[in-house]
């Protein structure tokens, strides 16, 4: 009893003197966990059963387009120094070399994707081990436990853990399978706090994007090739003439890219947007961006004035981004200035829309990788794109794929963020490139700098 009193007295004195050491900070990134799954396990209506007591959130984390890791992680962590990926997926078109690269077991180690090296505990090897694919939740929990043990024993002030198993579980089982993982995470965090009371820490947990599906997904890969051929284009791995289109099918995802010569972008986008199952395609104009879809086409412009970002959305026929109602509401609210829409209002109006934050995300789709697409497309709900033979997911032998991400739509897009960092208030939603700034100082990216972790 005396010992306890002494300890308490000391604690009061130290904190009163204000020389308490700053808390350590643990970042846990769970690949591909939708906002709704986090919201379900943290629902206050669950009472004692609710997970993550003392945490604030979850906040909707509005991911990048494509809603996939190789763009989302640099999108979220770019403001604190993570460099861009060379392509949207492991297999991509290299503009400098003029050919398709990557996607094989050997090139995995040769082509640098800086995000893979960013974390203290990250991804090892091309697609995880066999056990990870068969029992993703079980092996993911095991990895998480080891990772948190490492954090407890390390003397680092901040520690980053990235878990890929949640993505695999979402694809091959369903996103709700991750609830079991959340339960384990909650327990592991409590145990870690009990194991190191003298070194308190706070925690930031987030995912990089969501997951969409439910029914067996229909692959648009063959219809896409067929439509291009019917339109007079040839599909090749090198870009040799305006009649050639380079495609880079790899995983089974709900977005895809075409690489073409400049003058072919428009006609190719129109052809691709006309394929059944393709929701919309976009490409950069000399000024602005063009969107093609079966709902019509539109031109998008961006401008900065008064220190703020503004948008103009001009539909030519139809309303491809389904934004006319929102625009009318903004007009009525007096937010529109000579046809220009304020960025902040566009974000707020579309967080829960079918395609959240579409303007900003489409524009950034051409900026988030070092080899941007000529035309980028979002696949409609119920569809996917990829070459089944090269796909890791297709080799799992669990039948047809029902869940994936990459598209612009809400379910594929909305990740989550929650935290117990003391002075943070959880907003309803946050855009990818602002999500991390309340928890970490911004950091300029040094050109040519080597990402943290092992140099290759
Ligand atoms: Zn995935």
């Amino acid at each position: 009893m005396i010992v306890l009193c002494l300890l308490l007295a000391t604690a009061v004195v130290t904190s009163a003197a204000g020389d308490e050491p700053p808390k350590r900070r643990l970042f846990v990134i769970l690949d591909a966990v939708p906002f709704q799954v986090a919201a379900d396990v943290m629902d206050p209506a669950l009472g004692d059963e609710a997970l993550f007591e003392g945490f604030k959130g979850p906040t909707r984390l509005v991911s990048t387009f494509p809603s996939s890791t190789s763009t989302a992680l640099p999108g979220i962590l770019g403001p604190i120094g993570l460099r861009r990926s060379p392509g949207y997926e492991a297999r991509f078109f290299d503009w400098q070399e003029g050919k398709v690269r990557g996607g094989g077991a050997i090139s995995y180690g040769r082509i640098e994707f800086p995000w893979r090296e960013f974390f203290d505990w990250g991804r090892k090897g091309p697609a995880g081990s066999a056990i990870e694919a068969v029992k993703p939740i079980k092996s993911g929990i095991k990895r998480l436990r080891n990772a948190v043990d490492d954090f407890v024993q390390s003397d680092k002030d901040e520690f980053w853990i990235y878990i890929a198993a949640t993505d695999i579980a979402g694809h091959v089982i369903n996103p709700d399978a991750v609830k079991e993982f959340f339960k384990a995470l909650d327990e592991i965090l409590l145990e870690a706090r009990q194991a190191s009371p003298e070194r308190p820490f706070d925690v930031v947990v987030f995912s990089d994007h969501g997951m969409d599906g439910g029914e067996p997904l229909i692959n648009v890969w063959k219809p896409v090739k067929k439509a291009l051929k019917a339109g007079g284009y040839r599909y090749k791995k090198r870009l040799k003439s305006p009649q050639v289109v380079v495609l880079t099918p790899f995983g089974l995802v709900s977005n895809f890219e075409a690489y073409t010569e400049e003058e072919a972008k428009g006609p190719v986008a129109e052809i691709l947007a006309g394929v059944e199952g393709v929701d919309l395609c976009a490409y950069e104009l000399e000024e602005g961006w063009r969107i093609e879809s079966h709902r019509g086409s539109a031109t998008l412009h961006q401008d900065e004035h008064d220190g703020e970002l503004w948008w103009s959305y001009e539909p030519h026929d139809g309303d491809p981004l389904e934004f006319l109602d929102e625009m009318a509401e903004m007009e009525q609210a007096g937010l529109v200035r000579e046809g220009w829409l304020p960025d902040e209002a566009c974000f707020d109006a579309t967080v829960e829309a079918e395609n959240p934050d579409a303007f900003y995300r489409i524009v950034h789709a051409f900026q988030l990788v070092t080899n941007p697409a000529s035309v980028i497309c979002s696949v409609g709900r119920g569809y996917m794109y990829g070459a089944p033979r090269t796909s890791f997911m297709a080799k799992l032998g669990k039948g047809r794929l029902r869940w994936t991400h990459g598209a612009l739509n809400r379910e594929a897009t909305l990740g989550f963020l929650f935290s117990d960092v003391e002075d943070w208030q959880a907003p309803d939603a946050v855009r990818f490139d602002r999500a991390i700034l309340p928890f970490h100082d911004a950091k300029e990216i040094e050109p040519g700098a080597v990402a943290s972790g092992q140099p290759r």
Side-chain angles (χ1 to χ4, degrees), residues 188-271:
I188 290 167
L189 290 177
L190 282 173
E191 285 164 21
R193 289 191 209 278
Q194 284 162 2
S196 61
E198 74 293 352
R199 291 200 299 161
F201 61 89
D202 50 31
V203 186
V204 181
V205 187
F206 65 92
S207 63
D208 53 351
H209 54 80
M211 186 76 86
D212 185 36
E215 296 301 318
L217 301 170
I218 301 162
N219 198 343
V220 299
W221 164 237
K222 280 182 186 166
V224 158
K225 279 193 298 179
K226 210 173 142 187
L228 285 172
K229 200 176 167 190
Y233 290 90
R234 279 167 297 145
Y235 155 56
K236 298 236 177 245
K237 287 181 182 167
R238 281 176 187 269
L239 205 50
K240 282 184 184 152
S241 81
Q243 293 309 112
V244 166
V245 176
V246 174
L247 302 169
T248 53
F250 182 64
L252 297 173
V253 290
S254 47
N255 64 283
F256 68 97
E257 297 78 37
Y259 301 80
T260 69
E261 289 195 1
E262 194 63 24
E263 67 249 51
K265 290 196 303 193
V268 165
E270 271 185 58
I271 292 171

